Amino acid sequence: MASPTSLLKRLLLGRPFRSDRLQHTLLPKRIALPVFASDALSSVAYAPDEILLTLSIAGASALLFSPWIALAVVVVMLTVVASYRQNVHAYPSGGGDYEVATVNLGPKFGVGVASALLVDYVLTVAVSVSSGVANLGSVVPFVATHKVMIAVIAVVLLSAVNLRGLRESGTAFAIPTYGFVIVMGAMLLTGLVRVFILGDDLRAPSADLVIRAEHSVTGFALIFLLLRAFSSGAAALTGVEAISNGVPAFKAPKSRNAATTLLLLGTISVSMLVGIIWLARLTHLKFVEDPALQIVSGPEGYVQKTVTTQLGETVFGSGSILLYVVAGVTALILFLAANTAFNGFPVLGSILAQDRYLPRQFHTRGDRLAFSNGIVFLALFAIVLIVGFQAEVTRLIQLYIVGVFVSFTVSQAGMIRHWNRHLRTERDPEARRRMYRSRAINTFGMGLTGAVLVIVLITKFLLGAWIAIVAMALIYLLMLAIRRHYDRIAVELTPPDEGRAVLPARNHAIVLVSKLHQPTLRAIAYARATRPDTLTAVTVNVDEKDTRDLQVDWERREMAIPLTVIDSPYREITRPILDFVASTRRKSPRDVVTVFIPEYVVGRWWENLLHNQSALRLKGRLLFEPGVMVVSVPWQLASTANKNLDRLDATLSRTPARGPRRTVPPLVAAPPVVAPPDEGGPADSGTVGNDRG
């Protein structure tokens, strides 16, 4: 019978995959688009909101600038897409911006980009899920009043789906993503047809609201406001870099399929962003930062709905089933947009772990061939942000996009150096022309994304961007510290180039004894079989009567090795043994001491609670003693006969058992050992002294 934990794991994650199934998890373009592009596609659901609410600070007249802000965002989007198409062709291994920066600019630039991307992936989950809750709350009041709880549940479900494996999560997300594209396209097309062909006068529910300007914005202040609106709208670019980080997940030819997916992503995102802003202007839609303060006249108890929900109500009518479809697919795609981060973060974490900048556990695949540790860490940090910022998109968005534009800019600088290096050796005229064209694209991309990064830092720093910058700096320093640790360990473990390992001069064996029972006799026999230079049994005197009984029993059996009794007036076991071991080795620094610890093994978990685990404590302490080897000599009690060893193997190795465990007879039968009935405490409570536990 499997344990309840194992059954729950299989129910949630499914049966484990063999390592040779990894090739079957690769994605075709039709699945890769929703998997890696859902973040960028869904950002058009909240980027227009951020543009309009920022402009609303200057009043309704400032909303006239929204099409120009959208056009500027489109230019940056197309530039980034064109630039990253060069990246995926040049670096198809999946390192993305991190690999480009590391190879061309140096490891520290690579770690800086990686820290920015890790922060951005966490914020992608938090912002996307929070925005999805906001859209769903526009038509379902219960969601609006419990948005933090709903957002946390959504993150948990997303992580569970991704833990089942990449291909399964991609298939599960393909239909909602394509559904969002179709529904949004139909809404925009219907609205434009009604305005320009049928001549309908469409007015959004907020069209007649009067907005009070929070400040008088003119001159430099107006320019700053427009730049801030542009930096908020630039959130539409998040997710583009995920494709370059996820190239290994594509089916062959990987680079070409990734580049094609990038082009599809850019085309769809640009069309939807322009369409939403355009239709919002045609319907006189208003969206403000603080409705309670900015709206002068409006209906009693007015609750502001998101831009996409207002457009759905304008085009399809209030209460229409299609309105709920628009709100539903928008919320769903925003929830699923976090899937881009759930695919990008674990892959990047695996690469960083392989390069020793993150713990090696991030490089390990789970039962379903997904990087489970990365998925779990991403979910936990995203939940912390959602709870900390109460799932407020406007608050979270201020932390957003700093990291992604850092990676954009540094990556393009690395690509320029990449093309310069190849141009120095390439002689084919056609290849050189392609390289010149690619370098020009990356140069323009670096200049544009660098300018956007400066704008984002200036306009968002005091609004919360400083938090993201501090987080990037801390992660950067942490990764460098982890690398230093691994490098230091590698140096310590590297054998010398010349000479052989120095053999120990003598081997002193010590058998720890509490009572003369079966585990002790086995430990003594095994210690004698290793043929040490000296062999002695040691017991700690914590009870005079028990020690005298042990000495009498020792003499009666005429044991072949001497018994040394260490006095312990304060009834301590560990320190006297450590002192004895140290004094034994002190005679010669080339001597080693082998400590044999007899202990028995129980088969039921609750049996461990009945003993004091002194052997375990001693082993843990002896491991830190130089020149000391620790040998556990187990004695399996009868309760271990019914132990499910297959389940134990699977639990310890985190992999499924390959087949039924067979009992293999020993090559040499062990001689029977006769001992008097054991009236005392168990072995693990007294193997190191007369501690009866």
Side-chain angles (χ1 to χ4, degrees), residues 8-9 26 45 89 118 189-190 249 341 382 397 428 441 457 540 597:
L8 179 62
K9 181 180 180 181
L26 299 180
H89 284 301
L118 292 177
L189 184 61
T190 302
I397 204 74
D428 181 52
I441 294 173
L457 291 175
V540 179
I597 303 180

Side-chain angles (χ1 to χ4, degrees), residues 139-153:
V139 293
V140 182
F142 175 82
V143 175
T145 56
H146 300 84
K147 57 184 179 181
V148 175
M149 180 188 69
I150 300 297
V152 170
I153 292 174

Side-chain angles (χ1 to χ4, degrees), residues 23-233:
Q23 192 68 21
H24 297 283
T25 66
L26 299 180
L27 306 176
K29 292 191 293 293
R30 67 180 183 279
I31 301 298
L33 180 64
V35 168
F36 290 106
S38 55
D39 178 23
L41 291 175
S42 66
S43 61
V44 300
Y46 56 80
D49 297 41
E50 297 303 316
I51 293 174
L52 295 180
L53 70 84
T54 303
L55 292 175
S56 70
I57 295 175
S61 60
L63 298 178
L64 295 173
F65 293 103
S66 59
W68 299 105
I69 300 293
L71 181 61
V73 173
V74 166
V75 171
V76 179
M77 167 76 80
L78 295 178
T79 302
V80 171
V81 169
S83 299
Y84 271 84
R85 281 172 59 85
Q86 319 307 314
N87 289 35
V88 298
H89 284 301
Y91 294 93
S93 60
D97 295 338
Y98 165 71
E99 182 180 5
V100 172
T102 301
V103 171
N104 298 288
L105 301 176
K108 290 189 176 180
F109 281 93
V111 174
V113 167
S115 63
L117 286 173
L118 292 177
V119 171
D120 193 71
Y121 280 136
V122 176
L123 285 165
T124 294
V125 176
V127 171
S128 297
V129 171
S130 299
S131 183
V133 170
N135 275 272
L136 192 59
S138 296
V139 293
V140 182
F142 175 82
V143 175
T145 56
H146 300 84
K147 57 184 179 181
V148 175
M149 180 188 69
I150 300 297
V152 170
I153 292 174
V155 173
V156 172
L157 292 176
L158 283 169
S159 60
V161 171
N162 278 275
L163 286 171
R164 292 188 64 90
L166 185 61
R167 189 181 182 90
E168 288 199 19
S169 64
T171 303
F173 297 158
I175 295 176
T177 303
Y178 285 125
F180 170 74
V181 173
I182 293 171
V183 170
M184 292 300 295
M187 181 188 72
L188 296 175
L189 184 61
T190 302
L192 295 176
V193 167
R194 289 186 61 183
V195 171
F196 290 106
I197 298 179
L198 301 180
D200 294 343
D201 182 21
L202 296 182
R203 295 184 66 82
S206 57
D208 297 325
L209 297 178
V210 178
I211 299 178
R212 177 193 295 119
E214 293 187 19
H215 307 283
S216 177
V217 180
T218 58
F220 178 77
L222 178 60
I223 295 175
F224 183 84
L225 181 67
L226 296 178
L227 291 177
R228 179 182 161 190
F230 167 72
S231 64
S232 297

Side-chain angles (χ1 to χ4, degrees), residues 208-446:
D208 297 325
L209 297 178
V210 178
I211 299 178
R212 177 193 295 119
E214 293 187 19
H215 307 283
S216 177
V217 180
T218 58
F220 178 77
L222 178 60
I223 295 175
F224 183 84
L225 181 67
L226 296 178
L227 291 177
R228 179 182 161 190
F230 167 72
S231 64
S232 297
L237 278 78
T238 55
V240 174
E241 79 289 347
I243 292 180
S244 66
N245 294 329
V247 176
F250 284 80
K251 281 190 172 181
K254 297 178 181 292
S255 297
R256 189 172 69 187
N257 287 337
T260 303
T261 304
L262 260 173
L263 183 60
L264 291 172
L265 159 67
T267 303
I268 297 173
S269 296
V270 164
S271 301
M272 292 171 60
L273 178 64
V274 171
I276 290 175
I277 293 294
W278 190 13
L279 191 57
R281 285 296 307 129
L282 293 174
T283 58
H284 308 284
L285 185 147
K286 296 182 179 64
F287 192 81
V288 299
E289 185 174 22
D290 190 346
L293 296 178
Q294 292 181 259
I295 296 178
V296 177
S297 62
E300 187 70 22
Y302 173 75
V303 177
Q304 181 173 251
K305 298 179 180 179
T306 60
V307 171
T308 53
T309 304
Q310 289 193 53
L311 290 179
E313 184 174 344
T314 304
V315 173
F316 299 122
S318 178
S320 169
I321 186 63
L322 292 178
L323 168 62
Y324 289 94
V325 171
V326 170
V329 296
T330 303
L332 188 57
I333 189 62
L334 284 164
F335 288 140
L336 302 186
N339 187 61
T340 300
F342 274 107
N343 285 298
F345 183 98
V347 172
L348 179 59
S350 171
I351 294 171
L352 290 169
Q354 190 174 13
D355 291 345
R356 296 179 294 178
Y357 288 112
L358 285 181
R360 289 172 180 169
Q361 292 86 337
F362 281 86
H363 187 56
T364 305
R365 291 185 182 270
D367 287 353
R368 302 286 288 184
L369 299 180
F371 295 110
S372 306
N373 293 323
I375 292 172
V376 172
F377 268 80
L378 174 61
L380 290 176
F381 286 122
I383 288 174
V384 169
L385 280 178
I386 289 172
V387 174
F389 287 86
Q390 292 296 294
E392 290 288 346
V393 179
T394 301
R395 294 174 62 192
L396 285 167
I397 204 74
Q398 311 306 330
L399 286 68
Y400 208 19
I401 76 174
V402 176
V404 74
F405 274 99
V406 168
S407 64
F408 284 166
T409 306
V410 177
S411 173
Q412 300 315 304
M415 287 301 298
I416 294 172
R417 179 167 290 187
H418 167 84
W419 298 124
N420 289 338
R421 186 175 66 252
H422 282 272
L423 282 169
R424 285 195 293 266
T425 58
E426 183 60 56
R427 295 293 177 264
D428 181 52
E430 181 61 28
R432 289 181 65 84
R433 279 194 295 271
R434 288 197 301 270
M435 291 180 184
Y436 278 124
R437 182 176 66 250
S438 298
R439 186 178 65 176
I441 294 173
N442 289 129
T443 302
F444 182 74
M446 183 192 71

